[in-house]
């Protein structure tokens, strides 16, 4: 069984929307992958290149603020838990 993590970053108006997905997948047949188990992962370090220091970073839909640092053009933060999917907004 393999572990899969996917990060997708999109721009929406002046916000960046980050989707983090993590699941345990297995191959069914020749070309079909299916999610077999969902286990949370913890303390995921994220670094994203941004043009400027964001005003805030927060989790959606929880609306919980995330502490972050801005250094050398990178916004850095830790996502405390990903339980299959977590969306983060960078404003």
């Amino acid at each position: 069984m393999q572990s899969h993590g996917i990060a997708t970053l999109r721009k929406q108006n002046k916000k960046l929307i980050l989707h983090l997905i993590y699941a345990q997948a297995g191959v069914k047949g020749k070309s079909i992958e299916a999610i077999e188990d969902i286990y949370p992962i913890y303390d995921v370090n994220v670094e994203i290149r941004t043009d400027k220091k964001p005003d805030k970073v927060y989790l959606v839909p929880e609306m919980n603020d995330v502490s972050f640092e801005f250094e050398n053009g990178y916004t850095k933060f830790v996502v405390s838990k990903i339980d299959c999917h977590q969306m983060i907004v960078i404003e």
Side-chain angles (χ1 to χ4, degrees), residues 4 11-12 14 17 21 25 31 42 48 58 66 77 80 83:
H4 289 269
K11 189 171 185 178
Q12 182 180 35
K14 294 184 179 185
I17 313 294
I21 300 170
S31 62
Y42 299 91
I48 297 174
Y58 57 95
V66 175
F77 54 93
S80 60
D83 197 2

Side-chain angles (χ1 to χ4, degrees), residues 10-17 51 89-91:
R10 305 220 186 271
K11 189 171 185 178
Q12 182 180 35
N13 301 318
K14 294 184 179 185
K15 300 176 186 178
L16 292 174
I17 313 294
D51 295 334
V89 175
I90 303 158
E91 285 187 6

Side-chain angles (χ1 to χ4, degrees), residues 1-4 22-26 34-39:
M1 185 159 39
Q2 299 176 341
S3 299
H4 289 269
Y22 180 82
Q24 302 277 328
I35 295 174
E36 292 187 347
D37 292 308
I38 297 174
Y39 297 109

Side-chain angles (χ1 to χ4, degrees), residues 50 52-57 68-70 74-75 90-91:
T50 54
K52 62 180 181 124
K53 181 180 179 179
D55 292 325
K56 67 182 194 173
V57 176
F68 68 93
E69 296 177 3
F70 181 76
Y74 285 87
T75 299
I90 303 158
E91 285 187 6

Side-chain angles (χ1 to χ4, degrees), residues 4-8 18-24 35 37-47 59-62 66 77-88:
H4 289 269
I6 298 171
T8 304
L18 176 63
H19 293 271
L20 299 176
I21 300 170
Y22 180 82
Q24 302 277 328
I35 295 174
D37 292 308
I38 297 174
Y39 297 109
I41 57 173
Y42 299 91
D43 300 325
V44 177
N45 292 303
V46 177
E47 293 187 22
L59 304 177
V60 175
E62 299 91 335
V66 175
F77 54 93
V78 175
V79 177
S80 60
K81 181 180 178 182
I82 300 172
D83 197 2
C84 188
H85 173 257
Q86 183 62 63
M87 184 169 32
I88 302 100

